[in-house]
Amino acid sequence: MITSSIVAVDGTAASGKGTLASRIAQHLNFAYLDTGILYRAVGYSVIKNGHKFDTQTAAIDAARELKIENLKNIDLRSEEIGRAASIAASIPLVRKTLIAFQKKFASAPPNEKLGAVLDGRDIGTVICPDADWKIYVDADICVRARRRVKELRERGVDAIYSRILRNMRERDTRDMSRSISPLAPAKDAFVLDTTFLDADSAFAIALDYISS
Ligand code: DC
C-alpha cells in the first residue's frame, strides 16, 4: 500500500505559514490544502445569509453543505470573514464536520500526488498527528499586524494598523483558548519564528528541516 507523505504547517494568522506551505508543496510536487479556507467559507456563508453566531445552527449547516468547488471565485480573505471563520472554528460540530475532508485530502491527495501539505491551526495535533514533518510558524504580533496591513493595502483595501492589531489579538486569543483543537504547537513540531525572516529565508530553513 502506498501511503502519502504529509507536511503539517500550523501557526498564527499572518505568520507566513500559508506562503511557506504552498512553496513547500510546489517544491516537493505535493498537493496543497489551505484549511483556513474551509472555516472562512463557513463564516462567509453565515454572514452572507444574514445569520448570526449566537445560535450555532447556521454555521453547522454551512459546514455540512460546504462544497469546495464553489469556493474558487469567492474572495474570502477579508478581516471580517477571518473573524467569522475564527468564531465558526470554535464550534465543535463545525470542526467535526470538516475533519473527514481534511483527513481524506492528506491520506489520498488529489491528482495522484505522492504527498500533501496542509496548513492550518490543528494539522499537526488533530488532523494529521502522524505527519512526517510538522512545522509551527509564529512571529511577533506587531510584525504580523504590519504584514497584514501591507497585504490589505496592496489589494487596495483601507487598513488601519491599530484596528488590525486589535483584531489579530482577539483572533489569537479565540483560536488558542477554544475548548476543541486549540491552536498550539504539536509536541514534535519544528518551531519557526519568522519575526526577522523574509519569505525566502523562512523557506530555506523549512527545507533544511524537511531534508534533515
Ligand atoms: O488561516 P486563516 O487565517 O485563513 O484561518 C481563519 C480562521 O480559521 C482562524 O482564525 C482559525 C480557523 N482555523 C482553524 O481553527 N483551524 C484550521 N485548521 C484552520 C483555520
Side-chain angles (χ1 to χ4, degrees), residues 90-132:
S90 67
I91 301 172
L93 257 180
V94 167
R95 301 200 76 81
K96 212 173 150 204
T97 307
L98 298 178
I99 282 182
F101 175 81
Q102 297 172 75
K103 280 188 181 280
K104 182 158 180 263
F105 188 99
S107 60
N111 305 319
E112 297 179 3
K113 301 272 184 189
L114 297 179
V117 183
L118 286 82
D119 86 56
R121 302 290 190 290
D122 61 344
I123 308 302
T125 50
V126 175
I127 304 294
C128 305
D130 299 324
D132 303 84

Side-chain angles (χ1 to χ4, degrees), residues 7 14 21:
V7 186

Side-chain angles (χ1 to χ4, degrees), residues 2 4 45 51 56 61 72 92 95 113 116 120 133 140 142 162 176 204 211:
I2 299 174
S4 155
S45 169
H51 295 303
Q56 302 183 346
D61 287 349
K72 292 202 176 92
R95 301 200 76 81
K113 301 272 184 189
W133 299 279
D140 177 83
C142 298
S162 58
M176 289 174 182
S211 49

Side-chain angles (χ1 to χ4, degrees), residues 10-11 13-14 17 34-37 39-40 77 81-82 85-86 89-90 95 102 119-123 127 148 171 175 178 181:
D10 290 300
K17 68 182 186 326
D34 165 7
T35 64
I37 285 294
Y39 294 93
R40 284 176 181 267
R77 290 268 140 231
I81 294 177
S86 168
S90 67
R95 301 200 76 81
Q102 297 172 75
D119 86 56
R121 302 290 190 290
D122 61 344
I123 308 302
I127 304 294
R148 178 54 50 83
R171 196 134 77 90
D175 292 346
R178 66 184 173 222
S181 312

